[in-house]
Amino acid sequence: MDTGKRGRLLAAGAAGTLLVGAVALAGPAHAEPGDETGVEVTVEIEEIRQPGVLAMSVAADSVALSEDGSTLLVRQFTGTLPTVTVTDTRTADEVPAGAAWAVLGSATDFVGDADQAPIGAGHLGWQPKLIDGGDTGLVSEGEEVVTVLDEPTQPGNNVGLVDQELLVSTFDSGAVTPGAYTVDADLFLRTPADVAAGAYTSTLTLSLFE
């Protein structure tokens, strides 16, 4: 074999060897059996935003009146209305424009447990007392309502709690939210001195309006 032909064969053989080596180096890597890897999964959950509410609660569902301050002509029985709380958790944009809330109260006649003649609701009066009206000065208690046996302290107020009488209110709901406002009232039942003895029951209904 001449020297030139032998050189060409060696060159071709060398090229083939290099090509085979290149293919081997490009082969895929393989994970070993039993290998593990972790993938972190994250999520951000926002707090559910509940709309605010305007609500009322009363500390107790009954009050007993006891005799105090009676005279020869009028018997008087007094007590304190359980604390009433008005809670407003609404934001300013949840309050209707121009809205105002109020708690009103009215009583039924006092009915005896032994067929006594009823005592009309006009004999029950109250003096509201604001406990906590917040810092705005926009929450206020209602005026005193006296009974049918009293001289009126202002025109038309000696009717007793026969109709919806104001306990507490605000004239601008949006300006006082959010907050909790508390009020109670001195209650007084005044009857003629000859009222029949016995137990009597009335229901004083409190209503929240806006």
Side-chain angles (χ1 to χ4, degrees):
M1 179 181 298
D2 61 37
T3 303
K5 184 174 181 180
R6 183 180 178 186
R8 289 192 296 271
L9 289 173
L10 290 173
T17 301
L18 290 174
L19 181 59
V20 171
V23 171
L25 291 173
H30 296 283
E32 294 296 326
D35 285 355
E36 294 180 351
T37 185
V39 177
E40 182 179 355
V41 180
T42 65
V43 61
E44 183 173 342
I45 300 176
E46 295 185 0
E47 182 179 357
I48 296 176
R49 182 180 178 277
Q50 299 289 348
V53 296
L54 176 66
M56 178 185 69
S57 62
V58 184
D61 60 5
S62 65
V63 57
L65 306 181
S66 57
E67 190 160 11
D68 179 38
S70 294
T71 68
L72 292 176
L73 298 178
V74 176
R75 297 185 69 175
Q76 176 172 271
F77 308 85
T78 64
T80 301
L81 180 71
T83 299
V84 177
T85 301
V86 177
T87 303
D88 197 343
T89 61
R90 300 171 297 176
T91 59
D93 60 354
E94 291 178 321
V95 179
W101 56 257
V103 176
L104 306 179
S106 62
T108 62
D109 292 345
F110 284 80
V111 177
D113 66 349
D115 295 328
Q116 310 99 303
I119 302 171
H123 291 268
L124 179 66
W126 70 10
Q127 173 65 72
K129 299 184 300 180
L130 186 65
I131 299 171
D132 185 356
D135 299 327
T136 65
L138 299 178
V139 177
S140 58
E141 72 269 26
E143 298 289 342
E144 180 184 27
V145 177
V146 296
T147 77
V148 293
L149 297 184
D150 300 307
E151 292 292 330
T153 56
Q154 58 181 346
N157 84 327
N158 65 325
V159 294
L161 300 179
V162 297
D163 203 352
Q164 292 183 328
E165 301 292 342
L166 179 62
L167 177 66
V168 63
S169 69
T170 181
F171 62 85
D172 188 349
S173 297
V176 298
T177 56
Y181 313 98
T182 52
V183 64
D184 61 15
D186 293 330
L187 300 175
F188 42 88
L189 175 68
R190 294 170 181 156
T191 71
D194 61 354
V195 63
Y200 295 80
T201 302
S202 169
T203 299
L204 175 55
T205 300
L206 300 171
S207 304
L208 173 62
F209 295 97
E210 183 173 63

Coordinates of all heavy atoms in Angstrom, one line a residue, residues 80 127-132 141-142 167-168 182-186:
T80 N -84.8 49.9 86.5 CA -83.9 50.3 85.5 C -84.0 49.4 84.2 O -83.9 48.2 84.4 CB -82.4 50.4 86.0 OG1 -82.4 51.2 87.1 CG2 -81.5 50.9 84.9
Q127 N -87.0 57.7 81.8 CA -86.0 58.8 81.7 C -84.7 58.1 81.1 O -84.0 57.5 81.8 CB -85.6 59.5 83.0 CG -84.5 60.5 82.9 CD -84.8 61.7 82.0 OE1 -85.6 62.5 82.4 NE2 -84.2 61.7 80.8
P128 N -84.6 58.2 79.7 CA -83.4 57.6 79.1 C -82.1 58.2 79.6 O -82.0 59.4 80.0 CB -83.6 57.9 77.6 CG -85.1 58.1 77.5 CD -85.5 58.8 78.7
K129 N -81.0 57.4 79.7 CA -79.7 57.8 80.2 C -78.6 57.2 79.3 O -78.5 56.0 79.2 CB -79.5 57.4 81.6 CG -80.4 57.9 82.6 CD -80.1 57.5 84.1 CE -80.1 56.0 84.2 NZ -79.7 55.5 85.6
L130 N -77.9 58.1 78.6 CA -76.9 57.6 77.7 C -75.7 57.2 78.5 O -75.2 58.0 79.3 CB -76.5 58.8 76.7 CG -75.5 58.4 75.6 CD1 -76.1 57.4 74.6 CD2 -75.1 59.7 74.9
I131 N -75.2 56.0 78.3 CA -74.0 55.5 79.0 C -72.8 55.7 78.2 O -71.8 56.3 78.7 CB -74.2 54.0 79.3 CG1 -75.4 53.7 80.2 CG2 -72.9 53.4 80.0 CD1 -75.8 52.3 80.3
D132 N -72.7 55.4 76.9 CA -71.6 55.6 76.1 C -72.1 55.9 74.7 O -72.6 55.1 74.0 CB -70.7 54.3 76.0 CG -69.4 54.5 75.2 OD1 -69.2 55.6 74.7 OD2 -68.6 53.6 75.2
E141 N -79.5 60.6 74.0 CA -80.7 59.9 74.5 C -82.0 60.7 74.3 O -81.9 61.9 74.0 CB -80.5 59.6 76.0 CG -80.7 60.9 76.9 CD -79.4 61.6 77.1 OE1 -78.4 61.5 76.3 OE2 -79.2 62.3 78.1
G142 N -83.1 60.0 74.4 CA -84.4 60.7 74.2 C -84.8 61.5 75.4 O -84.1 61.4 76.5
L167 N -85.7 56.3 72.7 CA -84.7 56.0 73.7 C -83.3 56.6 73.4 O -82.7 57.2 74.3 CB -84.6 54.4 73.8 CG -83.6 53.9 74.8 CD1 -84.0 54.3 76.3 CD2 -83.4 52.4 74.7
V168 N -82.9 56.3 72.2 CA -81.5 56.9 71.8 C -81.5 57.0 70.3 O -82.2 56.2 69.6 CB -80.4 55.9 72.3 CG1 -80.5 54.5 71.7 CG2 -79.0 56.5 72.1
T182 N -74.2 52.6 74.1 CA -75.0 52.0 75.2 C -75.9 53.0 75.9 O -75.5 54.2 76.0 CB -74.2 51.3 76.2 OG1 -73.2 52.2 76.7 CG2 -73.5 50.1 75.6
V183 N -77.1 52.6 76.3 CA -78.0 53.4 77.0 C -78.9 52.6 77.8 O -79.1 51.4 77.6 CB -78.9 54.2 75.9 CG1 -79.7 53.2 75.1 CG2 -79.8 55.3 76.5
D184 N -79.4 53.2 78.9 CA -80.5 52.5 79.7 C -81.5 53.6 80.0 O -81.5 54.7 79.4 CB -80.0 51.8 80.9 CG -79.3 52.7 81.9 OD1 -79.4 53.9 81.8 OD2 -78.6 52.2 82.8
A185 N -82.4 53.3 81.0 CA -83.4 54.3 81.3 C -84.0 54.0 82.7 O -84.1 52.8 83.1 CB -84.6 54.3 80.3
D186 N -84.3 55.0 83.4 CA -85.1 54.9 84.7 C -86.5 54.6 84.3 O -87.1 55.4 83.5 CB -84.9 56.1 85.5 CG -83.5 56.3 86.1 OD1 -82.8 55.4 86.3 OD2 -83.2 57.5 86.2

